Short mmCIF file of all heavy atoms in Angstrom, two decimals:
data_model
loop_
_atom_site.label_atom_id
_atom_site.label_comp_id
_atom_site.label_asym_id
_atom_site.label_seq_id
_atom_site.Cartn_x
_atom_site.Cartn_y
_atom_site.Cartn_z
N THR Z 28 0.88 8.58 -4.23
CA THR Z 28 -0.62 8.75 -4.21
C THR Z 28 -1.05 9.93 -5.14
O THR Z 28 -2.03 9.87 -5.89
CB THR Z 28 -1.12 8.98 -2.79
OG1 THR Z 28 -0.83 7.85 -1.96
CG2 THR Z 28 -2.68 9.09 -2.81
N ILE Z 29 -0.31 11.05 -5.17
CA ILE Z 29 -0.62 12.23 -5.88
C ILE Z 29 -0.10 12.07 -7.28
O ILE Z 29 -0.20 12.97 -8.14
CB ILE Z 29 -0.20 13.41 -5.17
CG1 ILE Z 29 1.35 13.52 -5.01
CG2 ILE Z 29 -0.97 13.58 -3.90
CD1 ILE Z 29 1.76 14.86 -4.51
N GLY Z 30 0.77 11.02 -7.60
CA GLY Z 30 1.30 10.84 -9.02
C GLY Z 30 2.45 11.76 -9.30
O GLY Z 30 2.64 12.04 -10.48
N GLU Z 31 3.15 12.28 -8.28
CA GLU Z 31 4.10 13.30 -8.55
C GLU Z 31 5.58 12.63 -8.85
O GLU Z 31 6.32 13.28 -9.50
CB GLU Z 31 4.25 14.18 -7.20
CG GLU Z 31 4.99 15.48 -7.64
CD GLU Z 31 4.73 16.53 -6.54
OE1 GLU Z 31 3.64 17.05 -6.60
OE2 GLU Z 31 5.68 16.84 -5.70
N LYS Z 32 5.73 11.40 -8.35
CA LYS Z 32 7.04 10.90 -8.52
C LYS Z 32 7.08 9.52 -9.07
O LYS Z 32 7.91 9.05 -9.80
CB LYS Z 32 7.72 10.83 -7.11
CG LYS Z 32 9.17 10.32 -7.17
CD LYS Z 32 9.80 10.38 -5.74
CE LYS Z 32 11.35 9.85 -5.73
NZ LYS Z 32 11.87 10.02 -4.38
N TYR Z 33 5.87 8.77 -8.93
CA TYR Z 33 5.84 7.42 -9.40
C TYR Z 33 4.70 7.17 -10.22
O TYR Z 33 3.65 7.98 -10.16
CB TYR Z 33 5.69 6.37 -8.06
CG TYR Z 33 6.93 6.57 -7.21
CD1 TYR Z 33 6.59 7.20 -5.96
CD2 TYR Z 33 8.10 5.94 -7.34
CE1 TYR Z 33 7.61 7.33 -4.97
CE2 TYR Z 33 9.08 5.98 -6.36
CZ TYR Z 33 8.85 6.71 -5.25
OH TYR Z 33 9.86 6.86 -4.30
N SER Z 34 4.71 6.11 -10.91
CA SER Z 34 3.50 5.74 -11.84
C SER Z 34 2.49 5.02 -10.87
O SER Z 34 2.94 4.23 -10.00
CB SER Z 34 3.84 4.75 -12.92
OG SER Z 34 2.66 4.16 -13.34
N ILE Z 35 1.30 5.58 -10.86
CA ILE Z 35 0.22 4.81 -10.12
C ILE Z 35 0.04 3.37 -10.46
O ILE Z 35 -0.54 2.66 -9.72
CB ILE Z 35 -1.09 5.56 -10.24
CG1 ILE Z 35 -2.09 5.31 -9.03
CG2 ILE Z 35 -1.75 5.28 -11.62
CD1 ILE Z 35 -1.61 5.84 -7.79
N ASN Z 36 0.63 2.88 -11.52
CA ASN Z 36 0.51 1.46 -11.89
C ASN Z 36 1.75 0.71 -11.41
O ASN Z 36 1.76 -0.56 -11.69
CB ASN Z 36 0.48 1.39 -13.45
CG ASN Z 36 -0.82 1.99 -13.97
OD1 ASN Z 36 -1.78 1.85 -13.50
ND2 ASN Z 36 -0.64 2.77 -15.16
N SER Z 37 2.52 1.25 -10.68
CA SER Z 37 3.79 0.51 -10.03
C SER Z 37 3.36 0.12 -8.61
O SER Z 37 2.22 0.59 -8.06
CB SER Z 37 4.98 1.34 -10.11
OG SER Z 37 4.97 2.44 -9.27
N GLY Z 38 4.15 -0.64 -7.92
CA GLY Z 38 3.91 -1.10 -6.64
C GLY Z 38 5.07 -0.70 -5.74
O GLY Z 38 6.08 -0.16 -6.23
N PHE Z 39 4.95 -1.17 -4.47
CA PHE Z 39 5.96 -0.82 -3.49
C PHE Z 39 6.28 -2.12 -2.71
O PHE Z 39 5.40 -2.97 -2.45
CB PHE Z 39 5.53 0.25 -2.40
CG PHE Z 39 5.71 1.62 -2.72
CD1 PHE Z 39 4.70 2.37 -3.43
CD2 PHE Z 39 6.96 2.20 -2.59
CE1 PHE Z 39 4.98 3.68 -3.80
CE2 PHE Z 39 7.22 3.48 -2.89
CZ PHE Z 39 6.24 4.18 -3.43
N CYS Z 40 7.68 -2.27 -2.34
CA CYS Z 40 8.08 -3.27 -1.49
C CYS Z 40 8.72 -2.63 -0.28
O CYS Z 40 9.74 -2.00 -0.47
CB CYS Z 40 9.06 -4.20 -2.12
SG CYS Z 40 9.73 -5.55 -0.95
N VAL Z 41 8.05 -2.59 0.85
CA VAL Z 41 8.54 -2.06 2.15
C VAL Z 41 9.37 -2.99 2.92
O VAL Z 41 8.72 -3.97 3.43
CB VAL Z 41 7.42 -1.24 2.89
CG1 VAL Z 41 8.05 -0.72 4.20
CG2 VAL Z 41 6.70 -0.15 1.98
N CYS Z 42 10.57 -2.80 3.09
CA CYS Z 42 11.43 -3.75 3.71
C CYS Z 42 11.83 -3.27 5.08
O CYS Z 42 12.06 -2.00 5.27
CB CYS Z 42 12.65 -4.14 2.96
SG CYS Z 42 12.28 -4.62 1.29
N GLY Z 43 12.10 -4.12 6.17
CA GLY Z 43 12.63 -3.77 7.43
C GLY Z 43 12.58 -4.83 8.47
O GLY Z 43 12.09 -5.90 8.09
N ALA Z 44 13.17 -4.57 9.53
CA ALA Z 44 13.21 -5.66 10.55
C ALA Z 44 11.80 -5.97 11.14
O ALA Z 44 10.89 -5.05 10.94
CB ALA Z 44 14.15 -5.11 11.77
N PRO Z 45 11.59 -7.17 11.71
CA PRO Z 45 10.29 -7.46 12.19
C PRO Z 45 9.89 -6.51 13.23
O PRO Z 45 10.74 -5.98 14.05
CB PRO Z 45 10.51 -8.82 12.80
CG PRO Z 45 11.72 -9.37 12.12
CD PRO Z 45 12.58 -8.28 11.76
N GLY Z 46 8.64 -6.04 13.25
CA GLY Z 46 8.01 -5.23 14.41
C GLY Z 46 8.17 -3.72 14.28
O GLY Z 46 7.87 -3.06 15.08
N VAL Z 47 8.67 -3.35 13.11
CA VAL Z 47 8.77 -1.93 12.88
C VAL Z 47 7.59 -1.09 12.45
O VAL Z 47 7.52 0.10 12.25
CB VAL Z 47 10.02 -1.45 11.95
CG1 VAL Z 47 11.36 -1.91 12.51
CG2 VAL Z 47 9.87 -2.07 10.54
N GLY Z 48 6.48 -1.87 12.19
CA GLY Z 48 5.36 -1.43 11.76
C GLY Z 48 4.98 -1.39 10.25
O GLY Z 48 3.94 -0.85 9.78
N LYS Z 49 5.64 -2.15 9.48
CA LYS Z 49 5.57 -2.29 8.01
C LYS Z 49 4.11 -2.81 7.66
O LYS Z 49 3.42 -2.26 6.81
CB LYS Z 49 6.54 -3.33 7.41
CG LYS Z 49 8.00 -2.89 7.68
CD LYS Z 49 8.90 -3.90 7.11
CE LYS Z 49 8.65 -5.34 7.43
NZ LYS Z 49 8.91 -5.71 8.76
N THR Z 50 3.67 -3.76 8.33
CA THR Z 50 2.36 -4.44 7.72
C THR Z 50 1.17 -3.55 8.08
O THR Z 50 0.36 -3.39 7.13
CB THR Z 50 2.19 -5.85 8.63
OG1 THR Z 50 3.26 -6.75 8.28
CG2 THR Z 50 0.87 -6.42 8.11
N VAL Z 51 1.05 -2.96 9.17
CA VAL Z 51 -0.06 -2.01 9.48
C VAL Z 51 0.09 -0.80 8.65
O VAL Z 51 -0.93 -0.37 8.12
CB VAL Z 51 -0.10 -1.57 10.99
CG1 VAL Z 51 -1.11 -0.53 11.28
CG2 VAL Z 51 -0.24 -2.78 11.91
N LEU Z 52 1.27 -0.24 8.42
CA LEU Z 52 1.45 0.81 7.57
C LEU Z 52 0.92 0.51 6.16
O LEU Z 52 0.13 1.36 5.44
CB LEU Z 52 2.82 1.28 7.53
CG LEU Z 52 3.24 2.33 6.38
CD1 LEU Z 52 2.50 3.66 6.74
CD2 LEU Z 52 4.68 2.57 6.28
N MET Z 53 1.26 -0.59 5.62
CA MET Z 53 0.94 -0.89 4.18
C MET Z 53 -0.54 -1.24 3.96
O MET Z 53 -1.15 -0.95 3.01
CB MET Z 53 1.80 -2.04 3.64
CG MET Z 53 3.24 -1.58 3.35
SD MET Z 53 3.53 -0.13 2.43
CE MET Z 53 3.05 -0.79 0.72
N ALA Z 54 -1.07 -1.99 5.13
CA ALA Z 54 -2.50 -2.24 5.09
C ALA Z 54 -3.25 -0.89 5.20
O ALA Z 54 -4.38 -0.67 4.53
CB ALA Z 54 -2.84 -3.19 6.26
N SER Z 55 -2.81 0.08 5.95
CA SER Z 55 -3.41 1.35 6.05
C SER Z 55 -3.31 2.11 4.69
O SER Z 55 -4.32 2.84 4.37
CB SER Z 55 -2.78 2.22 7.25
OG SER Z 55 -2.82 1.46 8.38
N PHE Z 56 -2.16 2.05 4.06
CA PHE Z 56 -2.04 2.67 2.79
C PHE Z 56 -3.03 2.10 1.73
O PHE Z 56 -3.61 2.86 1.09
CB PHE Z 56 -0.58 2.52 2.43
CG PHE Z 56 -0.35 3.19 1.07
CD1 PHE Z 56 -0.56 4.58 0.93
CD2 PHE Z 56 0.20 2.39 0.02
CE1 PHE Z 56 -0.15 5.17 -0.31
CE2 PHE Z 56 0.47 2.99 -1.17
CZ PHE Z 56 0.27 4.29 -1.47
N ALA Z 57 -3.04 0.69 1.75
CA ALA Z 57 -4.04 0.14 0.78
C ALA Z 57 -5.45 0.62 0.97
O ALA Z 57 -6.27 0.95 0.12
CB ALA Z 57 -3.87 -1.35 0.87
N MET Z 58 -5.77 0.68 2.32
CA MET Z 58 -7.14 1.18 2.59
C MET Z 58 -7.37 2.64 2.32
O MET Z 58 -8.40 3.04 1.80
CB MET Z 58 -7.45 0.99 4.12
CG MET Z 58 -8.72 1.24 4.57
SD MET Z 58 -8.89 0.91 6.37
CE MET Z 58 -10.76 1.29 6.57
N LEU Z 59 -6.35 3.49 2.49
CA LEU Z 59 -6.40 4.94 2.11
C LEU Z 59 -6.62 5.06 0.63
O LEU Z 59 -7.51 5.86 0.13
CB LEU Z 59 -5.17 5.57 2.45
CG LEU Z 59 -5.02 7.04 2.11
CD1 LEU Z 59 -4.14 7.79 3.15
CD2 LEU Z 59 -4.37 7.21 0.75
N LEU Z 60 -5.85 4.33 -0.23
CA LEU Z 60 -6.11 4.27 -1.70
C LEU Z 60 -7.41 4.07 -2.16
O LEU Z 60 -8.00 4.60 -2.97
CB LEU Z 60 -5.00 3.43 -2.38
CG LEU Z 60 -3.49 3.73 -2.24
CD1 LEU Z 60 -2.64 2.73 -2.97
CD2 LEU Z 60 -3.33 5.16 -2.94
N ARG Z 61 -8.00 3.13 -1.44
CA ARG Z 61 -9.46 2.65 -1.78
C ARG Z 61 -10.45 3.83 -1.39
O ARG Z 61 -11.31 4.04 -2.12
CB ARG Z 61 -9.89 1.32 -1.08
CG ARG Z 61 -11.27 0.99 -1.42
CD ARG Z 61 -11.52 -0.48 -1.01
NE ARG Z 61 -11.28 -0.73 0.40
CZ ARG Z 61 -12.22 -0.34 1.29
NH1 ARG Z 61 -13.36 0.06 0.91
NH2 ARG Z 61 -12.04 -0.62 2.55
N LYS Z 62 -10.18 4.28 -0.10
CA LYS Z 62 -11.06 5.39 0.41
C LYS Z 62 -11.15 6.62 -0.46
O LYS Z 62 -12.11 7.28 -0.62
CB LYS Z 62 -10.73 5.65 1.80
CG LYS Z 62 -11.06 4.62 2.80
CD LYS Z 62 -12.65 4.51 2.90
CE LYS Z 62 -13.02 3.46 3.99
NZ LYS Z 62 -14.50 3.32 3.96
N ILE Z 63 -9.89 6.99 -1.00
CA ILE Z 63 -9.93 8.23 -1.85
C ILE Z 63 -10.15 7.97 -3.26
O ILE Z 63 -10.14 8.96 -4.18
CB ILE Z 63 -8.51 9.02 -1.71
CG1 ILE Z 63 -7.41 8.27 -2.34
CG2 ILE Z 63 -8.24 9.31 -0.22
CD1 ILE Z 63 -6.17 9.00 -2.42
N GLY Z 64 -10.49 6.71 -3.64
CA GLY Z 64 -10.80 6.45 -4.93
C GLY Z 64 -9.68 6.22 -5.98
O GLY Z 64 -9.85 6.17 -7.15
N ALA Z 65 -8.46 6.07 -5.46
CA ALA Z 65 -7.38 5.87 -6.27
C ALA Z 65 -7.29 4.40 -6.88
O ALA Z 65 -6.81 4.13 -8.01
CB ALA Z 65 -6.03 6.10 -5.58
N ILE Z 66 -7.91 3.48 -6.10
CA ILE Z 66 -8.13 2.10 -6.56
C ILE Z 66 -9.55 1.78 -6.18
O ILE Z 66 -10.15 2.29 -5.22
CB ILE Z 66 -7.07 1.10 -5.99
CG1 ILE Z 66 -7.19 1.18 -4.41
CG2 ILE Z 66 -5.70 1.37 -6.40
CD1 ILE Z 66 -6.27 0.10 -3.76
N SER Z 67 -10.12 0.79 -6.92
CA SER Z 67 -11.52 0.39 -6.60
C SER Z 67 -11.56 -0.57 -5.44
O SER Z 67 -12.65 -0.77 -4.83
CB SER Z 67 -12.23 -0.18 -7.84
OG SER Z 67 -11.42 -1.33 -8.31
N GLY Z 68 -10.46 -1.25 -5.13
CA GLY Z 68 -10.50 -2.29 -4.19
C GLY Z 68 -9.10 -3.02 -4.22
O GLY Z 68 -8.31 -2.69 -5.08
N TYR Z 69 -9.00 -4.08 -3.23
CA TYR Z 69 -7.79 -4.71 -3.29
C TYR Z 69 -7.99 -6.04 -2.42
O TYR Z 69 -8.97 -6.28 -1.69
CB TYR Z 69 -6.60 -3.92 -2.50
CG TYR Z 69 -6.93 -3.61 -1.01
CD1 TYR Z 69 -6.42 -4.40 -0.11
CD2 TYR Z 69 -7.46 -2.38 -0.74
CE1 TYR Z 69 -6.62 -4.05 1.28
CE2 TYR Z 69 -7.83 -2.02 0.66
CZ TYR Z 69 -7.36 -2.95 1.58
OH TYR Z 69 -7.58 -2.58 2.93
N LYS Z 70 -6.95 -7.04 -2.63
CA LYS Z 70 -7.01 -8.24 -1.98
C LYS Z 70 -5.75 -8.21 -1.08
O LYS Z 70 -4.78 -7.64 -1.29
CB LYS Z 70 -7.07 -9.39 -3.04
CG LYS Z 70 -8.26 -9.40 -3.90
CD LYS Z 70 -8.20 -10.71 -4.78
CE LYS Z 70 -9.35 -10.71 -5.79
NZ LYS Z 70 -9.12 -9.69 -6.95
N GLN Z 71 -5.75 -9.15 -0.03
CA GLN Z 71 -4.71 -9.31 0.82
C GLN Z 71 -4.44 -10.66 1.17
O GLN Z 71 -5.25 -11.47 1.40
CB GLN Z 71 -5.04 -8.45 2.12
CG GLN Z 71 -3.91 -8.23 3.12
CD GLN Z 71 -4.31 -7.39 4.25
OE1 GLN Z 71 -5.26 -6.52 4.13
NE2 GLN Z 71 -3.59 -7.29 5.38
N ILE Z 72 -3.13 -11.07 1.16
CA ILE Z 72 -2.70 -12.39 1.44
C ILE Z 72 -1.47 -12.33 2.32
O ILE Z 72 -0.71 -11.42 2.30
CB ILE Z 72 -2.47 -13.31 0.19
CG1 ILE Z 72 -1.30 -12.67 -0.66
CG2 ILE Z 72 -3.82 -13.52 -0.63
CD1 ILE Z 72 -0.93 -13.59 -1.80
N SER Z 73 -1.19 -13.52 2.91
CA SER Z 73 0.07 -13.80 3.46
C SER Z 73 0.90 -14.66 2.75
O SER Z 73 0.41 -15.84 2.27
CB SER Z 73 -0.07 -14.32 4.95
OG SER Z 73 1.17 -14.71 5.42
N ALA Z 74 2.18 -14.35 2.36
CA ALA Z 74 3.08 -15.13 1.59
C ALA Z 74 3.30 -16.42 2.30
O ALA Z 74 3.34 -17.59 1.69
CB ALA Z 74 4.39 -14.52 1.35
N ARG Z 75 3.27 -16.50 3.72
CA ARG Z 75 3.54 -17.55 4.52
C ARG Z 75 2.44 -18.70 4.27
O ARG Z 75 2.80 -19.88 4.36
CB ARG Z 75 3.62 -17.23 6.00
CG ARG Z 75 4.16 -18.32 6.91
CD ARG Z 75 3.88 -18.06 8.33
NE ARG Z 75 4.68 -16.89 8.83
CZ ARG Z 75 5.93 -16.90 9.25
NH1 ARG Z 75 6.48 -18.19 9.40
NH2 ARG Z 75 6.53 -15.98 9.62
#
């Protein structure tokens, strides 16, 4: 988010066992980026 280690133009893939909190975490992160003005908006889909 602060651009210290990664390019703001790259993305993340968060992997882990079912139920460890990945989906809520990443949805929260996307919302945070929009709230602080790092991105103007985002879309959300389920691969399934």
Side-chain angles (χ1 to χ4, degrees):
T28 302
I29 64 174
E31 197 161 286
K32 186 175 178 181
Y33 304 101
S34 166
I35 197 70
N36 294 318
S37 64
F39 272 96
C40 177
V41 176
C42 309
V47 296
K49 304 180 302 297
T50 298
V51 173
L52 173 64
M53 291 306 288
S55 303
F56 178 60
M58 186 177 181
L59 177 148
L60 290 178
R61 180 170 60 82
K62 286 293 182 182
I63 68 170
I66 58 176
S67 58
Y69 64 94
K70 301 181 185 75
Q71 188 171 342
I72 60 171
S73 167
R75 188 192 294 271

